[in-house]
Amino acid sequence: MKPHERSARRTGLRDAVIADLSAADLDSLLARARADYDAFRAKGLKLDMTRGKPAPEQLDLAEGMLALPGNRDHLSEAGEDARNYGGLQGLAETRALFARTLGASPDRIVVGDNSSLALMHDSLVYALLKGVPGSAKPWGREPDVAFLCPTPGYDRHFAICEEYGVRMIPVPLTGDGPDMDKVEELVRDPAVKGMWNVPKYANPSGDVYSDETIRRLARMTTAAPDFRLFWDNAYVLHHLTDDGREILNVLDACAEAGNPDRAFVFASTSKMTLAGAGLAFFASSPANVAWLLASASKRTIGPDKLNQLRHVRFLKDHDGLVAHMAKHKALLAPKFAAVHEALEARLAGTGAARWTKPEGGYFISVDVVEGTAARVVQLAKDAGLLLTGAGATWPKGKDPRDQNLRLAPSFPSLSDVKAASEGIAICILLAAAEAESAKRKDAAA
């Protein structure tokens, strides 16, 4: 029996879209959905699918790092004492280890401490205070500064802009990245200084930027001379399938287009090794690397180089990194499959929602019936299931259609993911049926 057939038998819909149901069939669906919801709530579960954190089992994969680099193992390949100050750019062997992942030569990489978000924050603040290579003046002295924000997107990107008064302009995603016709139109405004991008397995949509999208971003001729792509390649090796997707190297594309300084590439090992004790990376052109190091030198005397040694000792080389990430995939893929199975079984053919099936990353994006996302979140909360707030995937937390939900199945156990996914599907179906019933009552009034 196919999933949509199971859904039909369970709900009585026979694959009919809720909006097309007769009054009697809608009443029947609403009654069944409420009964299913009451039964789910009666279980008294306490489940949390709010943030995309690695599960304890994933962190255990890097447990061996806690004994590294080891007693008296504190010298780099060049003989530098990793216990001491200095080495602002990061150890040469650490930069070499991640060069292939970042798509840049080691001399064009900076290794920070544990947070790529901190590097993004600092890069924006430095740009506001000092400008970037190619700026006529600091961004903060411009009458207006705006960033393009592909949506649905990452709430923490948007929070940085909101914190510093940067105007955010939503741009729709297409499946192959942002709507480039819209992007090319918007960058004609010189106030547009930057654009957030999660180019591979995007948060939360799972979008993978096409080669053509990346080339168009690289060669835009109407963008400001100091326009920057904030390229958050957070999920570069976070595949959920055996044939993981690859994307065009944005640094090479920008250089070939005559805009070598356009991209700031960020990444981290937060979801590779230890989330709170990983490494963060910045990769870009020589001019941008020099700019970041000059600014960072006023902030710190150097990063945690012992942690850099720890990562080199544990992962050893690029092949070791890839093998380590395959272990993550083995833990994560069944959880994502559980979410898809629950949504398919309950919702296929109903018109209550549509959802992504990402090939990697940490999230699933669900679009529910317009105007019901907040209701779904509240129903889930009342039943003991915490979801990311409705609107979180939009600038300032305001989804104009109250439609998008971000599901994060990584942290809970597989059994909890299965239970939570069933509950989410029940809440979505109930909210959709309620909305259709209310719509008909309003029309009849």
Side-chain angles (χ1 to χ4, degrees), residues 112-121 266-268 270 275-281:
D113 282 319
N114 71 319
S115 172
S116 57
L117 188 67
L119 284 176
M120 293 177 232
H121 170 277
F266 303 93
S268 79
S270 294
L279 299 175
F281 304 98

Side-chain angles (χ1 to χ4, degrees), residues 290-312:
W291 166 83
L292 180 69
L293 290 174
S295 299
S297 67
K298 311 304 186 296
R299 177 181 179 273
T300 180
I301 303 174
D304 181 351
K305 297 180 294 299
L306 287 173
N307 197 25
Q308 294 183 30
L309 278 181
R310 182 180 297 121
H311 279 74
V312 172

Side-chain angles (χ1 to χ4, degrees), residues 73-74 123 140 186 225 230 238 271 348 354 427:
D73 180 12
H74 53 258
S123 295
L186 289 168
F230 277 56
H238 300 69
K271 293 181 175 68
R354 61 182 184 271
C427 293

Side-chain angles (χ1 to χ4, degrees), residues 52-63:
K53 298 191 298 185
E57 295 79 11
Q58 291 177 261
L59 300 177
D60 287 345
L61 296 175
E63 188 77 7

Side-chain angles (χ1 to χ4, degrees), residues 17 31 47 104 165 167 178 192-193 201 210 232 266 291-292 335 340 350 352 362 398 414:
V17 174
L47 303 171
R167 180 164 57 92
V192 176
K193 294 295 187 182
Y201 310 138
S210 69
D232 184 3
F266 303 93
W291 166 83
L292 180 69
K335 295 181 180 181
H340 297 307
T350 67
Y362 262 60
K398 296 178 181 178
L414 180 58

Side-chain angles (χ1 to χ4, degrees), residues 226-300:
D226 53 349
F227 174 83
R228 291 294 184 269
L229 297 169
F230 277 56
W231 201 257
D232 184 3
N233 209 355
Y235 308 109
V236 57
L237 294 176
H238 300 69
H239 310 303
L240 290 170
T241 64
D242 291 335
D243 52 345
R245 297 283 294 276
E246 297 300 330
I247 62 173
L248 197 67
N249 185 317
V250 69
L251 295 175
D252 289 348
C254 288
E256 290 168 6
N259 298 305
D261 298 334
R262 177 162 287 179
F264 288 169
V265 176
F266 303 93
S268 79
T269 68
S270 294
K271 293 181 175 68
M272 297 179 183
T273 54
L274 301 173
L279 299 175
F281 304 98
F282 173 95
S284 195
S285 66
N288 286 336
V289 168
W291 166 83
L292 180 69
L293 290 174
S295 299
S297 67
K298 311 304 186 296
R299 177 181 179 273
T300 180

Side-chain angles (χ1 to χ4, degrees), residues 10 20 31 37 41 95 121 137 173 194 220 253 297 306 323 366 431:
R10 190 174 287 171
D20 297 333
Y37 175 75
R41 185 172 58 180
R95 289 183 276 121
H121 170 277
K137 56 186 173 182
L173 287 163
M220 290 187 299
S297 67
L306 287 173
V366 181

